[in-house]
Amino acid sequence: MRKVAIVGAGQVGSTTAMRLAERGMADVALIDIYGELARGKALDISHSLPLTGSSADVVGGSDYGLAAGSDVAVITAGFPRGPGMSRSDLLAKNAAVVREVVEAVKEEAPDCALIMVTNPLDEMSYLAWRITGWDRHRVMGMAGLLDGSRLAYFAASELEVPPGKVLPMVLGSHGDAMLPMARFTSVDGVPLSELVAMERLRELEERTRDGGAEIVALLKTGSAYYAPSACVARMVHAILADEGYQVAASVYLQGEYGLRGVFVGVPVILGHGGWKEVVELDLLPAEREGLTACAGMIKERMDELDEWLEGAGP
Ligand code: APR
């Protein structure tokens, strides 16, 4: 059986572990700074497996040795956004956590593909990539699939069609500069931009952009985890099954979309070992400008992280 390490046994991490284990997709190592919490959740998930017919091995603890030999590692460790807190506010707080856990994963699972979930997503993906020094194809951030799934849900409700009928496309950053792409979102092959009036479309896009914050405000403590974990599980499956599945994810661009040296959300093809290639959509000049502006904002915060890394010492 393949193996997936999940660091952070909080809401997103444990729900992801449950989804992977229930489907028998992989053995799971759930790791948290609170080892007993991780062990307890791993045990609880394990107790559900006789009912689901899965023989996945689920273990938990604080020891990174549990992650040894993993094919995929998912990083959810960190602090979630509180009400009124932007993803950028989280930058400094979560950088220290990501640095520590990614270094440990690199030791124990030197050949894995890395899926980042900790926010702020694009910046933490960059940090993880820099810390590993790995080929860019092995490191990605889960965001575009989640933002797209939210857009698909809102569009499906609007059009009164099943959610699975909407094939969404959201580019850019996982945050305020998110770029829902109605022209590339389709329902039975018809672009969403042709199915919903412009004004209403803007409202759906706005709700998608604020989708995470809407849930944070309702939950009062913590942030979304059912949809995020479903997205991570989907990406893990695509990697383990070498599916050639297209998702929007945050990856390091080296000239694609005219952008270089920045992590930003674009469509990629997932397969064995990570992402294989960037899919270049034929963007209109205004869409391209939007993506470039968004990449510029992320790049500024990546530069802040570079400074932080240099100051942080060896
Ligand atoms: N090492 C290991 N685990 C850690 C560390 C660390 N240094 N620091 C924090 N953790 C663990 C916490 O103990 C906690 O169990 O990370 C877990 C985070 O879980 P939650 O607080 O429940 O957060 P969650 O909702 O899962 O979100 C995690 O994903 O979507 C993003 O914005 C979200 O950045 C956040 C991350």
Side-chain angles (χ1 to χ4, degrees), residues 55-301:
S55 52
D57 185 32
V58 185
V59 294
S62 57
D63 176 7
Y64 281 82
L66 295 173
S70 293
D71 300 282
V72 179
V74 178
I75 309 298
T76 75
F79 301 92
R81 266 193 306 166
M85 205 175 170
S86 77
R87 286 187 176 88
S88 299
D89 292 338
L90 275 178
L91 186 75
K93 231 179 157 189
N94 280 346
V97 172
V98 164
R99 182 176 204 221
E100 175 194 325
V101 307
V102 169
E103 276 172 354
V105 165
K106 184 184 171 190
E107 279 292 302
E108 297 294 339
D111 300 318
C112 72
L114 195 55
I115 301 178
M116 297 301 298
V117 183
T118 307
N119 276 315
L121 197 271
D122 306 284
E123 293 82 351
M124 292 302 114
S125 302
Y126 168 65
L127 181 60
W129 175 69
R130 262 213 57 184
I131 287 163
T132 58
W134 289 345
D135 182 296
R136 65 176 179 144
H137 296 93
R138 291 173 59 191
V139 181
M140 71 212 85
M142 186 291 293
L145 186 59
L146 172 61
D147 300 327
S149 194
R150 287 177 174 149
L151 175 62
Y153 174 76
F154 296 139
S157 304
E158 179 72 14
L159 297 167
E160 296 180 356
V161 299
K165 278 219 167 210
V166 185
L167 297 179
M169 180 60 68
V170 175
L171 306 180
S173 113
H174 185 51
D176 301 337
M178 181 187 302
L179 300 168
M181 306 296 286
R183 232 167 43 83
F184 293 98
T185 295
S186 62
V187 185
D188 287 336
V190 181
L192 187 61
S193 49
E194 291 176 20
L195 295 170
V196 179
M198 185 64 86
E199 203 173 310
R200 183 68 186 131
L201 198 52
R202 291 288 95 88
E203 287 170 10
L204 299 183
E205 290 174 355
E206 202 52 42
R207 192 160 178 212
T208 301
R209 207 169 280 122
D210 295 338
E214 183 179 355
I215 290 171
V216 167
L218 289 167
L219 295 184
K220 307 289 190 287
T221 57
S223 51
Y225 54 97
Y226 290 117
S229 59
C231 294
V232 176
R234 187 67 193 85
M235 288 173 72
V236 168
H237 182 263
I239 292 170
L240 294 181
D242 197 17
E243 251 186 322
Y245 181 67
Q246 181 182 306
V247 297
S250 185
V251 301
Y252 189 70
L253 298 184
Q254 286 182 328
E256 297 90 350
Y257 288 96
L259 300 170
R260 191 171 286 281
V262 64
F263 261 81
V264 67
V266 292
V268 293
I269 303 295
L270 296 185
H272 181 68
W275 61 272
K276 306 268 186 187
E277 60 180 285
V278 171
V279 177
E280 291 218 43
L281 302 172
D282 191 12
L283 299 183
L284 296 172
E287 293 166 340
R288 190 169 284 271
E289 271 168 36
L291 187 62
T292 304
C294 169
M297 283 186 251
I298 297 169
K299 185 77 174 72
E300 277 177 27
R301 292 195 293 267

